[in-house]
Amino acid sequence: MLRVITTNTQKISFLLCLSLGVLLFLSICVSGTTPRLSAIGRKQIEFSRNSISSSLATASSDDYATFFYTQTLDHFNYRPESYETFQQKYVINFKYWGGANVSAPIFVFLGEESNIDADVAGIGFLSDTAPQFKALIVFIEHRYYGKSIPFGSREEAFRNASTLGYFNSAQALADYAEVIINLKKNMSADSSPVIVFGGSYGGILASWFRLKYPHIAHGALASSAPVLYFGDVAPRYGYYSIVSKDYREVSKFCYDVIKESWSLIDSIASHENGLAILGEKFKTCSPLSKSFELKDYLGSVYAESAQYDAPPRYPVTVICGAIDGAPIGTDILSRIQSGAAAFMGEKNCYDMGEFTRHTETIQGWQWQTCSEMVMPIGVDGEDTMFQASPFDLKNFSVSCQSRYNVEPRPHWILNEFGGKDIKSVLQVFASNIIYSNGLRDPYSSGGYVMSS
């Protein structure tokens, strides 16, 4: 569902509205596991490459030029160390730009929790749309990801909370502002309107950027942006309720099999050699030490498949097809194994850590969620196909303190960017923000959907 929130009739508002017909493509989703969630956008490039965009067939890597901006480490303090700098990567496509002399617009994609190269390769919406508006396309990498690393190396940047303390959304937004202002100045493009784009966490940033820097961004498209998934505004059971709804709509039998499987896994694991039996049944690459490892893996399979239930594959249908299509008399766990294998592909063995591998995205997002991006997402066992697992802030805080020696700030995002009574706030204060949500996306439960 696409909605435009606008309080004026500026030229840029018209420009945004013209694009509504193709905005359905940019429903970049998010990812999670049971009972914890990791990076909300870590699979978006895989999704984008399987999307309906035709841009990758026509856009050449020769169209893109890479630049680095000497970025300030700390925009909000005046201590000597705050003036340290790092090189922030950004990529420009000049192919379609009409030029500053005709005030042609600038489309800026705000990087999220991954390197920007993946976005340049996988996000086709901008190059699909830019020719119509003769727009310049710019991709800006998020600090602490990809090549945009302070302190000289990733190892040093992630050494402890002292070096990680400059890693937050407010600093990232200020980074984007500096790059955009500098770019417009260098290109004599002061009159060119800027529209910012982003998906999942990047979509949140795009929304916040328009609110925080309205003098820089004339409009924003926030795709699949769970801007309400913070503090006491958050729909705590919404995510897994939608995953379950997606499965139930495809097959009630499949839904029931999955719902029944959790207690069966626990029951088998409680017996002597039970974990070994489960390991053999699911062809795990390493012996299971507890049933949670298997359940966490399967929960990730179901969440990932629901988030990226896009054509042409439709992974939820693929999984349920395998579960439903097993021969009559097939036991529940064999059906579950078949469904997981259909999603992951046939392998000699399956790595239970597949969804928690220590990538730069997971490493970065762990810090972000342990500091400010605290999303209190839990599972309601009665209204979902999952076992109950409410979000426990106390346990979460203990885990973060153990890892980083920092206390999460679960209410800071609402203080800094708002969220409570968002409809009335946006109607009074905001304009030219499009919140694009696919309602089968589990994170749409935390997105802003304006009723007709």
Side-chain angles (χ1 to χ4, degrees):
M1 181 177 293
L2 303 174
R3 292 290 183 262
V4 178
I5 303 164
T6 180
T7 58
N8 58 41
T9 56
Q10 297 177 24
K11 174 183 176 181
I12 198 65
S13 179
F14 174 68
L15 189 156
L16 284 170
C17 293
L18 281 178
S19 298
L20 285 176
V22 291
L23 290 183
L24 286 171
F25 163 66
L26 194 65
S27 185
I28 304 170
C29 301
V30 289
S31 65
T33 58
T34 298
R36 68 173 195 296
L37 294 183
S38 52
I40 65 176
R42 62 188 167 92
K43 285 285 189 175
Q44 75 172 57
I45 300 309
E46 176 183 328
F47 170 77
S48 298
R49 284 174 178 160
N50 292 325
S51 72
I52 60 174
S53 172
S54 61
S55 294
L56 294 183
T58 57
S60 166
S61 59
D62 295 337
D63 298 333
Y64 297 90
T66 298
F67 302 89
F68 288 88
Y69 178 75
T70 300
Q71 188 60 263
T72 304
L73 176 64
D74 185 359
H75 299 285
F76 306 112
N77 283 287
Y78 294 89
R79 296 189 301 268
E81 59 269 28
S82 297
Y83 289 87
E84 293 185 21
T85 61
F86 66 96
Q87 295 302 298
Q88 183 167 20
K89 182 176 179 178
Y90 63 102
V91 179
I92 301 179
N93 184 340
F94 297 92
K95 180 178 181 179
Y96 310 106
W97 197 40
N101 59 327
V102 294
S103 301
I106 301 173
F107 291 174
V108 180
F109 187 90
L110 304 184
E112 67 303 293
E113 70 279 30
S114 64
N115 73 77
I116 203 66
D117 291 341
D119 293 321
V120 173
I123 306 301
F125 173 74
L126 298 186
S127 52
D128 279 345
T129 312
Q132 181 180 359
F133 301 109
K134 298 182 179 178
L136 184 74
I137 303 174
V138 183
F139 292 83
I140 309 176
E141 194 164 68
H142 193 296
R143 61 167 55 199
Y144 285 79
Y145 292 107
K147 301 290 187 182
S148 304
I149 305 296
F151 301 106
S153 70
R154 184 172 303 281
E155 290 73 22
E156 183 63 19
F158 282 79
R159 181 168 53 87
N160 56 38
S162 294
T163 53
L164 285 168
Y166 305 98
F167 186 4
N168 59 64
S169 59
Q171 297 280 9
L173 293 177
D175 289 344
Y176 299 144
E178 282 213 11
V179 173
I180 294 169
I181 289 172
N182 182 73
L183 177 66
K184 293 185 71 175
K185 179 181 178 181
N186 289 341
M187 301 185 72
S188 301
D190 289 339
S191 62
S192 291
V194 171
I195 305 173
V196 293
F197 298 78
S200 81
Y201 169 52
I204 295 175
L205 294 176
S207 171
W208 291 344
F209 192 89
R210 168 60 182 158
L211 295 173
K212 289 291 185 180
Y213 297 94
H215 57 292
I216 298 175
H218 294 70
L221 191 159
S223 176
S224 192
V227 292
L228 303 181
Y229 245 129
F230 301 98
D232 55 5
V233 177
R236 299 189 175 219
Y237 300 124
Y239 180 94
Y240 288 103
S241 292
I242 292 182
V243 173
S244 300
K245 178 176 176 287
D246 291 346
Y247 270 82
R248 189 165 51 239
E249 288 178 350
V250 168
S251 167
K252 181 61 164 57
F253 178 81
C254 176
Y255 171 95
D256 289 338
V257 167
I258 293 171
K259 188 175 180 70
E260 192 173 346
S261 68
W262 309 113
S263 59
L264 185 56
I265 290 172
D266 285 334
S267 177
I268 294 175
S270 68
H271 292 88
E272 186 177 358
N273 297 324
L275 290 174
I277 292 171
L278 289 172
E280 182 178 358
K281 167 72 75 174
F282 286 89
K283 298 194 289 186
T284 62
C285 295
S286 302
L288 295 169
S289 61
K290 50 189 176 182
S291 62
F292 173 78
E293 294 172 353
L294 175 59
K295 293 191 295 182
D296 188 48
Y297 172 82
L298 292 171
S300 296
V301 166
Y302 303 139
E304 294 276 341
S305 62
Q307 287 176 188
Y308 312 111
D309 196 31
R313 191 182 178 206
Y314 291 109
V316 171
T317 301
V318 168
I319 292 174
C320 283
I323 290 175
D324 295 354
I328 296 175
T330 300
D331 65 275
I332 287 177
L333 292 190
S334 293
R335 290 180 183 273
I336 294 294
Q337 194 280 327
S338 295
F343 178 72
M344 300 300 297
E346 289 296 336
K347 302 179 182 179
N348 292 329
C349 70
Y350 295 89
D351 178 10
M352 296 295 100
E354 175 82 19
F355 297 94
T356 57
R357 199 168 285 128
H358 201 61
T359 63
E360 69 168 280
T361 293
I362 290 178
Q363 183 184 24
W365 193 246
Q366 282 179 341
W367 163 259
Q368 290 190 262
T369 54
C370 268
S371 51
E372 62 169 359
M373 300 295 293
V374 182
M375 294 186 171
I377 298 172
V379 184
D380 178 4
E382 295 184 6
D383 190 37
T384 73
M385 64 185 191
F386 300 95
Q387 289 180 312
S389 181
F391 178 79
D392 189 319
L393 179 59
K394 182 178 180 180
N395 288 341
F396 181 74
S397 297
V398 169
S399 174
C400 291
Q401 287 178 314
S402 174
R403 182 178 288 122
Y404 300 110
N405 195 31
V406 297
E407 181 83 20
R409 297 180 180 177
H411 304 295
W412 174 246
I413 289 297
L414 294 180
N415 293 344
E416 176 73 359
F417 300 108
K420 294 184 178 181
D421 194 19
I422 190 171
K423 181 176 181 179
S424 62
V425 171
L426 291 174
Q427 286 176 338
V428 172
F429 179 68
S431 65
N432 295 336
I433 302 176
I434 299 173
Y435 291 96
S436 168
N437 290 280
L439 298 184
R440 289 179 59 84
D441 167 18
Y443 263 103
S444 66
S445 59
Y448 177 59
V449 179
M450 185 177 177
S451 59
S452 299

